[in-house]
Amino acid sequence: MRTIPFAEAGMDLPIGFLVASSNGQPPVVHRTFELGPVTGRVRIAMSAEGVKDNQGRVTTELLFGTMKRLGTLTALTRDLIRRFPFPDREYVGWVHMLRRLQGKKLPFNDACRACQVPIEVEADPDQFLVNVLEDGDYEVHSVQLPGDDTARPVQTFVFTSGFGTARMRLLTGEDEERHAGFHSRNPEEGQLRDRYACLVTYNDKVLTYDAFLDLDQEVLGWFTDCAESIELGSNQRVRITCPACGKEQVFGIDPLGLLQRLAPTPVLPPYGTRSSTSPLP
């Protein structure tokens, strides 16, 4: 993994979408993308019933309405976009966000988690960093993802400890869309479904969801540690000291929430249910 300034990453996805080759050659990684504007039609699609309350669907509509090309791929359907790794999808949201700012600083506000006093600050996009996947950081493995009829190549990461060996993959937009309801109703179940989706094999075996749930909580916690250690993409964080209580806190920024706040016509329904910030534990 390599950490670079956001401006250097430009129009290249931090991970890339793998497509199998038909001639027996290694899969092709598609990373360079082209974007069009966020039009009124795109905003309506993002705000539609059945979409606006599911952050994964909101992101899918944003990418479907604005991505014109990814590598040599030009027929970017919703189903294809749902297969993109979550960090890549979020990265495109950041590109739109920074285009909207046009060089200005990013307005950021939330409430102190200790004393609930409102906090306002401006983040400098020039300081934003991106963690980029490099050759040698991953192993290509054929995985049948939710919604797919056959297995296809994806980037995987192998972890070994006293608990055994786990092969993990990154969450996709399909996972995010499918798990949104679980996160709303029962966050613990939503997190477990995320971890199960990431787990390709455990000790070289594919587990059913029931078998996964029967594992000891320490093993499940290890899976979470493994997944969270794959810090790829543009997970921007702002460190803030509360002016009232002096407590220092770190907040993550959600680009889609902020994109809605800066939209020129705020009369439209909100894009998603996530707040503009996601406090880190």
Side-chain angles (χ1 to χ4, degrees):
M1 182 182 73
R2 182 167 55 101
T3 301
I4 61 176
F6 198 99
E8 183 179 332
M11 304 300 284
D12 286 335
L13 297 176
I15 298 161
F17 183 67
L18 288 178
V19 176
S21 298
S22 58
N23 55 5
Q25 297 298 312
V28 177
V29 183
H30 296 269
R31 298 181 90 152
T32 302
F33 62 97
E34 179 182 342
L35 284 182
V38 181
T39 65
R41 294 182 186 278
V42 175
R43 296 192 62 211
I44 289 173
M46 294 168 68
S47 304
E49 291 298 326
V51 174
K52 65 181 181 180
D53 293 331
N54 184 308
Q55 193 70 20
R57 292 175 184 169
V58 171
T59 305
T60 295
E61 291 301 326
L62 174 65
L63 271 61
F64 176 72
T66 61
M67 286 190 80
K68 305 303 181 185
R69 176 181 62 85
L70 176 61
T72 59
L73 306 176
T74 55
L76 301 180
T77 64
R78 288 183 178 88
D79 284 342
L80 184 67
I81 288 169
R82 290 186 182 102
R83 274 42 171 192
F84 292 177
F86 172 83
D88 280 350
R89 288 161 52 92
E90 187 175 57
Y91 181 81
V92 176
W94 270 110
V95 171
H96 277 299
M97 179 72 254
L98 297 185
R99 278 187 174 184
R100 182 71 183 86
L101 287 172
Q102 296 181 337
K104 300 176 183 178
K105 290 190 175 182
L106 182 68
F108 174 91
N109 60 79
D110 207 290
C112 174
R113 297 198 293 271
C115 68
Q116 303 306 309
V117 168
I119 298 175
E120 297 183 5
V121 70
E122 288 186 333
D124 186 356
D126 289 340
Q127 304 300 316
F128 288 172
L129 300 175
V130 181
N131 295 327
V132 177
L133 190 66
E134 295 190 295
D135 292 341
D137 290 341
Y138 62 92
E139 296 180 5
V140 176
H141 195 80
S142 292
V143 180
Q144 185 168 346
L145 298 176
D148 279 346
D149 296 327
T150 59
R152 66 171 186 80
V154 298
Q155 297 97 336
T156 65
F157 310 84
V158 178
F159 300 88
T160 301
S161 75
F163 295 116
T165 299
R167 181 181 294 275
M168 312 287 287
R169 67 167 174 86
L170 297 164
L171 285 175
T172 66
E174 183 76 27
D175 299 319
E176 188 183 16
E177 290 189 22
R178 287 172 178 258
H179 300 170
F182 295 106
H183 280 282
S184 297
R185 295 188 298 270
N186 186 332
E188 181 68 25
E189 182 176 4
Q191 292 176 13
L192 285 170
R193 286 186 177 271
D194 284 350
R195 293 293 78 80
Y196 176 69
C198 289
L199 184 65
V200 178
T201 59
Y202 178 45
N203 292 332
D204 295 325
K205 295 180 180 179
V206 177
L207 300 184
T208 64
Y209 185 56
D210 285 341
F212 172 82
L213 292 179
D214 287 335
L215 294 173
D216 186 274
Q217 65 175 356
E218 292 190 7
V219 178
L220 298 177
W222 176 60
F223 292 153
T224 296
D225 292 341
C226 293
E228 291 181 350
S229 71
I230 311 171
E231 296 183 347
L232 293 168
S234 53
N235 184 14
Q236 306 304 342
R237 303 179 180 187
V238 176
R239 188 175 298 276
I240 301 173
T241 299
C242 176
C245 69
K247 181 178 176 61
E248 186 179 65
Q249 297 157 77
V250 178
F251 292 87
I253 308 175
D254 168 27
L256 288 185
L258 286 170
L259 187 62
Q260 165 62 13
R261 286 191 178 189
L262 297 177
T265 52
V267 294
L268 288 181
Y271 284 172
T273 57
R274 280 199 305 201
S275 66
S276 64
T277 58
S278 302
L280 300 176

